[in-house]
Amino acid sequence: MKSGDLFHNAQELMPGGVSSPVRAIRPYPFYTAHASGSRLATEDGETLIDCCLAYGPLILGHAHPAIREAICAQLEKGWLYGTPVALEPALASRITGDHPAMDMIRFVSSGSEATMAAIRLARGYTGKKDIVKVEGGFHGAHDAVLVQAGSGATTLGVPDSAGVLADLVAHTRQVPFNDLEALDALLAANDDVAAFILEPVMGNIGPILPDDGYLREVRAITREHDVLLIFDEVITGYRLGIGGAQVRYGIEPDLTTLGKIIGGGLPIGAFGGRREIMGMVAPAGPVYQAGTFSGNPASLAAGMATLGWLHAHPGLYGRLDAATRALAESLPSRAGSFVRLGSMFKYFFRPSPPRNYREAKESDTATFGRFWKKMLDLGIFLPPSQFETNFVSAAHTESDIEAIAGAYAACL
Ligand SMILES: *Cc1c(COP(=O)(O)O)cnc(C)c1O
């Protein structure tokens, strides 16, 4: 069946026809039949160069042979036991070894679950009620973080979804990214803040890059006010290098959330941090957290293979960075702005790179929509939103990058 018919049928069976809202492209999304390397093959017989890469996990591209082999080897041995498995301490050792700020880690099944648990843990450890997040920062689809952006630092959070209690998100305050004064003022005025959670590089509205010294000052301010610092590195973990943003920028958060790349394309999440804090997690301590699929062997095997491959190929990050630099240099200078960091990139339809959510929202999304469609017509699949990061993977060849650059030039 072709994509249009599949979607027509799916809309009868599933809300909006999809399993996650961003996939509901109009008039209908293409359906993927199979994928390999940098390419997606659609049910309509087209082949596309993929710069969406499942929104982040696939740093080695689709169906990477080393990961496929690891998953298949695990499947031979069964794929869910409900008991501990040797892969858990193995991946835990690998990840904590790569992150000086992580002594211990708990595996869960998604990034959302990781941030939900990290927030509960921060509250349980500190005994304080409120959390602070960044406007437009994305931490998954659970209640505490579904707060409308732009509600301001001093007002109470307003739900960003029906069904989220205003009483609950009243405990979620927000500050703009790259605004140290707002953070300092908020923490000075409120001594009931358990944690400040942020993406060190905003990946779900851009990328938006931290100003020089911003993260260092965030660390100093949170420490001064006795507030835990949670880095949500679900996108940036192993994306900005081994050890993610925290190693790249030399910051030690109290807690870290991971997901995406550490599962090699299978479902995973994790949270970790200082031993003293992680010791509060059940059954070692009183903060409850549990899951049927937590630490599932197939995800762990895919994660081990991915991180092993990244360690064995230290030149990869430089190659990915060179690829987005080549893209940047090839673009005609126009009204928009190209932002990139390592393998993350985005063209914003606004004159200068945004520094926060409000600036990002000034982008011309109607023009983005037309541009996105033209890129697809030229065989390049970008995330279907002005506010989702584009990626390149290890599987993208120089000729892929040239094709992407050529399409950008033509469409812009
Ligand atoms: C993707 C993402 C999440 C949510 O992860 P899921 O696995 O989709 O639940 C949380 N935080 C950040 C920064 C993310 O990019």
Side-chain angles (χ1 to χ4, degrees):
M1 224 190 282
K2 299 249 187 177
S3 296
D5 297 327
L6 286 163
F7 189 61
H8 185 73
N9 191 27
Q11 280 178 300
E12 292 297 314
L13 298 166
M14 300 156 61
V18 291
S19 298
S20 195
V22 74
R23 299 178 200 167
I25 296 163
R26 295 188 184 280
Y28 60 85
F30 67 82
Y31 278 60
T32 299
H34 52 89
S36 174
S38 62
R39 307 294 164 120
L40 287 172
T42 74
E43 294 283 359
D44 311 310
E46 286 168 306
T47 301
L48 304 170
I49 297 179
D50 187 8
C51 293
C52 180
L53 292 159
Y55 299 91
L58 303 175
I59 192 166
L60 303 185
H62 292 279
H64 189 279
I67 304 176
R68 185 172 49 213
E69 199 179 299
I71 295 171
C72 291
Q74 180 57 47
L75 295 184
E76 292 293 334
K77 298 187 259 182
W79 45 87
L80 189 64
Y81 308 137
T83 72
V85 50
L87 280 167
E88 290 169 287
L91 189 58
S93 165
R94 173 65 98 185
I95 293 174
T96 56
D98 288 338
H99 297 79
M102 280 173 125
D103 300 324
M104 300 182 94
I105 189 167
R106 163 67 54 91
F107 292 111
V108 296
S109 298
S110 71
S112 296
E113 214 185 330
T115 63
M116 185 173 74
I119 287 169
R120 180 183 303 150
L121 175 58
R123 285 176 165 146
Y125 176 78
T126 61
K128 298 187 213 169
K129 287 200 203 72
D130 292 353
I131 60 162
V132 178
K133 70 180 281 293
V134 164
E135 279 179 11
F138 181 75
H139 306 293
H142 59 89
D143 289 10
V145 291
L146 285 179
V147 184
Q148 257 175 39
S151 51
T154 53
T155 54
L156 302 180
V158 176
D160 198 24
S161 161
V164 171
L165 300 180
D167 288 357
L168 198 144
V169 295
H171 292 291
T172 303
R173 311 301 179 102
Q174 301 194 86
V175 291
F177 196 59
N178 281 324
D179 188 337
L180 293 165
E181 275 171 33
L183 179 67
D184 195 40
L186 181 61
L187 298 187
N190 183 342
D191 59 7
D192 206 14
V193 176
F196 178 41
I197 182 169
L198 82 164
E199 302 170 76
V201 172
M202 291 185 82
N204 290 278
I205 186 88
I208 297 179
L209 310 187
D211 290 347
D212 278 351
Y214 173 68
L215 296 170
R216 207 175 329 113
E217 283 303 310
V218 161
R219 178 64 280 189
I221 291 169
T222 48
R223 207 166 258 147
E224 183 189 324
H225 292 285
D226 208 13
V227 165
L228 295 184
L229 176 61
I230 306 174
F231 268 15
D232 182 356
E233 298 227 44
V234 172
I235 280 194
T236 52
Y238 291 95
R239 166 69 56 192
L240 297 181
I242 300 230
Q246 54 196 266
V247 165
R248 187 178 180 122
Y249 293 101
I251 312 291
E252 296 210 348
D254 299 296
L255 289 171
T256 299
T257 54
L258 292 170
K260 297 193 171 127
I261 288 175
I262 65 161
L266 294 188
I268 203 164
F271 63 100
R274 297 206 327 256
R275 186 172 306 278
E276 172 198 10
I277 305 174
M278 291 302 290
M280 297 285 284
V281 177
V287 176
Y288 193 64
Q289 198 287 318
T292 302
F293 297 106
S294 294
N296 103 71
S299 296
L300 298 174
M304 278 301 284
T306 303
L307 304 194
W309 204 92
L310 293 173
H311 272 270
H313 298 81
L316 167 67
Y317 290 104
R319 273 210 296 121
L320 294 176
D321 186 68
T324 61
R325 186 173 336 109
L327 272 181
E329 285 165 1
S330 74
L331 289 185
S333 60
R334 286 288 149 82
S337 51
F338 189 82
V339 179
R340 69 176 195 95
L341 185 65
S343 54
M344 305 168 75
F345 68 101
K346 193 79 189 180
Y347 189 88
F348 286 96
F349 287 89
R350 76 186 297 282
S352 61
R355 289 183 60 245
N356 57 39
Y357 177 76
R358 278 163 209 238
E359 290 186 6
K361 291 301 263 190
E362 290 163 9
S363 303
D364 179 350
T365 52
T367 301
F368 174 84
R370 289 202 306 282
F371 162 78
W372 180 87
K373 181 73 178 64
K374 280 187 190 299
M375 289 292 281
L376 191 66
D377 290 344
L378 294 183
I380 314 292
F381 176 47
L382 304 177
S385 163
Q386 171 74 93
F387 307 115
E388 296 277 357
T389 296
N390 304 345
F391 299 105
V392 289
S393 77
H396 285 70
T397 61
E398 263 175 47
S399 71
D400 287 338
I401 301 301
E402 279 165 23
I404 297 165
Y408 262 93
C411 295
L412 289 176

